[in-house]
Amino acid sequence: MAVTPENLLRRPLTTQKCTLGCPVLDRCLAGGIPCNSITELVAESGCGKTQLCLQLALYAQLPLSNGGLSASTLYIHTEFPFPFRRLQQLSRSFCYSHPDLRCNPCDNVFVHAVHSADQLLDTMPHIETFLSEPKAQLPIKLIVIDSIAALFRSEFDNTPFELKRRSSLFFKISGKLKSLAKRFGLCIVVTNQVVDYIGANEGINGLRLGNFGSLYSSGRRVCAALGLAWANCVNTRLFLSRYEEVIGEDKDLKEVEDGDYLCRQTRRQLSVVFAPHLPDCSCEFVIRKEGVFGVG
Amino acid sequence: MEVGRLPISASQRGKLISAGYTSLSSLSSLSPSDLAKDLNIPESEALEILKVASLTSRLDKQDGNHAFVNGAQTAWDMLHEEQLFPRITTSCADMDEILGGGINCKEVTEIGGVPGIGKTQLGIQLAVNVQIPVEYGGLGGKAIYIDTEGSFMVERAQQIAEACVVDMSEYNDLLRKGNRACQVRIQPNDILENIFYFRICSYTEQIALINYLDRFISEHKDVKIVIVDSVTFHFRQDFDDLALRTRLLGGMALKLMNLARNYSLAVVIFNQVTTKYTEGSFQLALALGDSWSHSCTNRVILYWNGDERYAYIDKSPSLRSASAPFSVTSKGIRNSASNHKRIRMM
């Protein structure tokens, strides 16, 4: 029981952060993903949520002096299959740029599959034991849940009782994760999907959360899945979005068919929706074979 | 000699007597700054002496004439006392104005709003502002910050504290044109050191801590604000028995109210927003249900109006319903940048 208050001067004056593996993105997030709290990545599929999480799992292994946590990662995936090949690919370029690492970085990423919200709650005690008796050389300091939305999308009916059960589960999961985060100094990252925004600005549909009046991705207006109750469960919400930009016309294609002859380029952006420690800011990024990089 | 009975230190008593203050009535109509000058002591100490003296003389009166209930106060005394206590500024002049000058001591104020509206920011701001020294119109107190959600970030607290110190020195320069003797003594690190921070991970811990606060504050009498950010989080997890939840919350609210009254401190509790199904449609409402909404003296709702953040007085025994814009800046809570409109009365 915490009956003695913490002296704020005794802890580091900035919360420990885990680097994203790119100085531009780190600058946007004031050093990376903070420990002791839950950071949520919200995006439609194909925006780079999983890419960013995999990259984080690798860079968390870096020593503290390089912005990492000197730690291994527990990667809980709920969408299948787990992208092993991509992790492998990223880890090769990670090894290439960090030749002083001794072991295979993939050895420090523990992958666990979870199929339902109840199963996730049932796993929590095991996770706790796993954290307190580390099997790996590096202690676990990063837990990724990719994605939280997949656990909740189908199983619940749209009745008041079911909705109540659902939000009670949100708070249980979040409470448990936060208490683990506090106890072990963990960095917790969850990903969330988006749903299309329906209806006009009426009632709670148009409810604004955070720095943006509305969120757009691929030209559609979207909002984070799981609603208001879940939004209360995370400390920091980041939004990844993409849009197609026309950069020119392909002459050859134009002659062949009357279909799509425009050359497009996908542009991606990371924005802070809300965070206790960050101002309203955004950063453009690209996804390459070697990983995710901020631009500008 | 009447001052001989005051529960103050021997040196203070000596100073009082040698300055000629021997009776309680001689202290009754004195301002803290005059007394501070006469006794050559800091103003905060003078204020403390005056408070003790006024309490003692009131108790005397009650013993004599009209005190049929021990500890009873007349409304006049209460008004006088309320005026004696400065309010805690929010650093946003517009919000202070609708709050009647800031957050009031001796009261429980509930503040609710959607995620990202700036509840935690306001909490940190109040934890810093309660420490503004008496000579700058503050309380010179300390803060208890109960963090149930883990959103308190030290670096943000430091940022806000630094901005607060800068504001104070600007005020100083303005008032006393570079008088070196009056430099701001308080430093950002002092401010951080005077926030008693508790991180709470379950509702049982939350209840236990609030039960323990009475003892803690009796040992740290300079605590002038208790901030609970948020009261809601752990009470939305595991409660199938809603009657139990209501009882626990009611008990907790009562304890907080007693703390506020007994130690003359401000209690600020943050609440989340939820959707409530009424008359066929979903409406936004503060969480924890109807019976909880009676637990707090004041209720302030933070909401978005277009691109601007607003605070709205939803319930208060002494303030009228009004709303005011505010903004969250790198320095903390401030007036809204685009605010040249007048405050809208609702």
Side-chain angles (χ1 to χ4, degrees):
Chain A
M1 172 63 214
V3 286
T4 31
E6 266 179 76
N7 185 333
L8 295 176
L9 289 180
R10 268 195 221 124
R11 22 154 101 189
L13 274 182
T14 47
T15 314
Q16 174 105 57
K17 310 266 168 53
C18 178
T19 175
L20 292 158
C22 160
V24 181
L25 293 174
D26 281 350
R27 207 180 312 131
C28 182
L29 300 183
I33 306 290
C35 291
N36 307 321
S37 67
I38 301 183
T39 302
E40 183 193 32
L41 297 174
V42 176
E44 65 168 323
S45 57
C47 277
K49 293 183 299 251
T50 302
Q51 304 287 327
L52 211 50
C53 290
L54 293 174
Q55 185 158 319
L56 210 53
L58 294 173
Y59 279 85
Q61 301 171 30
L62 290 182
L64 301 182
S65 54
N66 291 356
L69 300 173
S70 182
S72 44
T73 300
L74 176 62
Y75 202 108
I76 298 171
H77 70 112
T78 65
E79 283 166 17
F80 299 88
F82 179 80
F84 290 105
R85 288 227 180 94
R86 181 59 176 147
L87 181 64
Q88 191 85 52
Q89 194 180 32
L90 287 171
S91 86
R92 268 198 294 273
S93 61
F94 178 71
C95 285
Y96 186 71
S97 51
H98 299 89
D100 46 336
L101 283 170
R102 297 232 178 78
C103 61
N104 182 355
C106 291
D107 288 347
N108 290 320
V109 181
F110 297 88
V111 179
H112 183 71
V114 162
H115 301 262
S116 74
D118 289 313
Q119 195 192 349
L120 178 61
L121 269 180
D122 293 343
T123 326
M124 288 293 183
H126 302 296
I127 295 176
E128 203 168 335
T129 357
F130 193 61
L131 290 171
S132 42
E133 298 156 13
K135 304 268 187 298
Q137 301 148 308
L138 299 172
I140 290 178
K141 282 281 162 76
L142 171 66
I143 293 184
V144 175
I145 300 182
D146 183 19
S147 74
I148 194 83
L151 297 176
F152 286 100
R153 293 204 94 173
S154 51
E155 230 186 289
F156 295 85
D157 295 329
N158 197 9
T159 61
F161 176 78
E162 283 285 282
L163 287 175
K164 219 179 133 259
R165 188 168 80 87
R166 194 176 88 139
S167 67
S168 166
L169 273 174
F170 292 162
F171 282 93
K172 263 189 221 172
I173 290 173
S174 158
K176 198 72 205 153
L177 286 172
K178 281 179 181 177
S179 95
L180 289 178
K182 194 233 161 189
R183 192 169 144 207
F184 297 99
L186 302 178
C187 182
I188 294 192
V189 177
V190 301
T191 67
N192 192 1
Q193 300 162 348
V194 298
V195 289
D196 275 320
Y197 168 84
I198 302 163
N201 276 346
E202 52 183 69
I204 56 158
N205 274 332
L207 184 66
R208 171 177 174 152
L209 295 182
N211 296 326
F212 302 96
S214 46
L215 301 173
Y216 288 93
S217 191
S218 300
R220 291 173 303 147
R221 186 164 173 195
V222 295
C223 49
L226 307 185
L228 178 61
W230 174 254
N232 281 310
C233 292
V234 299
N235 300 104
T236 299
R237 172 171 280 182
L238 307 174
F239 178 62
L240 310 181
S241 62
R242 56 182 243 174
Y243 65 97
E244 304 290 323
E245 187 188 50
V246 177
I247 51 169
E249 293 175 4
D250 191 321
K251 291 234 171 62
D252 301 335
L253 273 178
K254 198 173 180 179
E255 283 155 19
V256 184
E257 49 188 323
D258 49 17
D260 198 2
Y261 53 83
L262 297 171
C263 291
R264 287 185 169 84
Q265 181 191 18
T266 307
R267 300 188 71 164
R268 298 163 201 275
Q269 203 174 32
L270 175 143
S271 317
V272 177
V273 179
F274 57 80
H277 63 301
L278 296 176
D280 165 9
C281 62
S282 300
C283 172
E284 195 175 332
F285 68 93
V286 292
I287 301 178
R288 298 217 190 90
K289 190 177 146 224
E290 300 81 23
V292 181
F293 300 96
V295 192
Chain B
M1 216 178 299
E2 280 181 312
V3 292
R5 291 189 289 115
L6 291 180
I8 52 176
S9 74
S11 74
Q12 287 173 333
R13 203 174 298 139
K15 281 180 190 164
L16 274 175
I17 294 170
S18 55
Y21 296 105
T22 51
S23 66
L24 290 177
S25 57
S26 65
L27 291 169
S28 64
S29 54
L30 212 57
S31 80
S33 57
D34 288 343
L35 186 64
K37 226 179 289 161
D38 283 355
L39 303 192
N40 200 18
I41 53 173
E43 212 165 294
S44 53
E45 209 178 313
L47 182 72
E48 214 45 57
I49 294 177
L50 287 180
K51 259 188 240 165
V52 170
S54 96
L55 190 77
T56 312
S57 72
R58 207 168 45 236
L59 287 177
D60 284 357
K61 256 185 251 158
Q62 281 160 359
D63 286 343
N65 309 330
H66 48 260
F68 42 88
V69 181
N70 205 9
Q73 264 182 308
T74 63
W76 175 256
D77 283 340
M78 286 163 77
L79 181 69
H80 182 71
E81 200 174 87
E82 194 183 301
Q83 282 162 347
L84 206 68
F85 269 103
R87 287 160 183 256
I88 305 163
T89 171
T90 60
S91 287
C92 165
D94 293 334
M95 211 198 290
D96 281 352
E97 190 168 323
I98 61 164
L99 286 167
I103 301 290
N104 209 356
C105 288
K106 295 193 151 200
E107 281 177 6
V108 179
T109 306
E110 179 187 22
I111 302 177
V114 292
I117 191 76
K119 297 189 294 290
T120 301
Q121 305 294 321
L122 183 55
I124 297 175
Q125 185 76 60
L126 290 171
V128 169
N129 286 358
V130 74
Q131 303 182 40
I132 296 175
V134 177
E135 53 265 38
Y136 293 92
L139 275 76
K142 294 183 179 175
I144 290 180
Y145 201 102
I146 303 172
D147 184 10
T148 69
E149 300 195 9
S151 282
F152 184 95
M153 296 264 180
V154 198
E155 61 245 62
R156 186 64 181 135
Q158 200 189 21
Q159 235 174 17
I160 291 176
E162 273 164 9
C164 180
V165 170
V166 169
D167 281 0
M168 278 193 279
S169 18
E170 276 170 11
Y171 175 79
N172 214 355
D173 291 347
L174 216 70
L175 222 64
R176 318 179 171 105
K177 284 284 177 226
N179 186 349
R180 290 199 124 213
C182 297
Q183 265 178 0
V184 182
R185 262 165 293 166
I186 192 164
Q187 291 300 312
N189 278 2
D190 302 333
I191 294 184
L192 290 189
E193 195 152 30
N194 288 334
I195 300 176
F196 298 111
Y197 174 80
F198 295 90
R199 174 81 175 90
I200 291 301
C201 285
S202 72
Y203 80 87
T204 41
E205 268 183 40
Q206 190 172 332
I207 291 170
L209 175 62
I210 285 175
N211 288 341
Y212 165 75
L213 277 186
D214 192 59
R215 224 179 80 203
F216 184 83
I217 297 173
S218 68
E219 288 159 10
H220 299 83
K221 286 239 170 62
D222 39 5
V223 167
K224 283 292 158 223
I225 193 166
V226 174
I227 297 158
V228 188
D229 177 20
S230 67
V231 71
T232 331
F233 183 73
H234 296 299
F235 284 90
R236 292 183 76 179
Q237 298 176 29
D238 237 339
F239 281 94
D240 298 323
D241 184 356
L242 281 181
L244 172 68
R245 186 175 92 160
T246 306
R247 273 203 305 283
L248 288 173
L249 283 167
M252 204 164 68
L254 198 65
K255 294 227 170 66
L256 289 169
M257 217 173 274
N258 284 336
L259 286 179
R261 218 185 29 232
N262 296 343
Y263 296 100
S264 299
L265 48 81
V267 173
V268 173
I269 43 194
F270 290 101
N271 195 354
Q272 299 173 345
V273 160
T274 182
T275 47
K276 193 173 151 188
Y277 190 74
T278 39
E279 290 162 16
S281 69
F282 284 100
Q283 303 276 319
L284 280 184
L286 292 197
L288 302 180
D290 289 334
S291 48
W292 167 259
S293 64
H294 301 294
S295 308
C296 300
T297 319
N298 305 299
R299 184 172 242 197
V300 180
I301 292 176
L302 309 180
Y303 64 99
W304 285 103
N305 184 2
D307 276 337
E308 237 171 339
R309 294 174 159 98
Y310 271 75
Y312 169 69
I313 310 279
D314 184 49
K315 172 189 154 188
S316 162
S318 57
L319 305 168
R320 58 181 156 169
S321 295
S323 61
F326 70 99
S327 64
V328 179
T329 70
S330 60
K331 293 177 175 176
I333 305 287
R334 289 294 183 270
N335 264 348
S336 170
S338 64
N339 179 37
H340 13 65
K341 315 161 242 189
R342 307 204 43 155
I343 295 171
R344 193 164 45 119
M345 297 296 172
M346 299 187 77

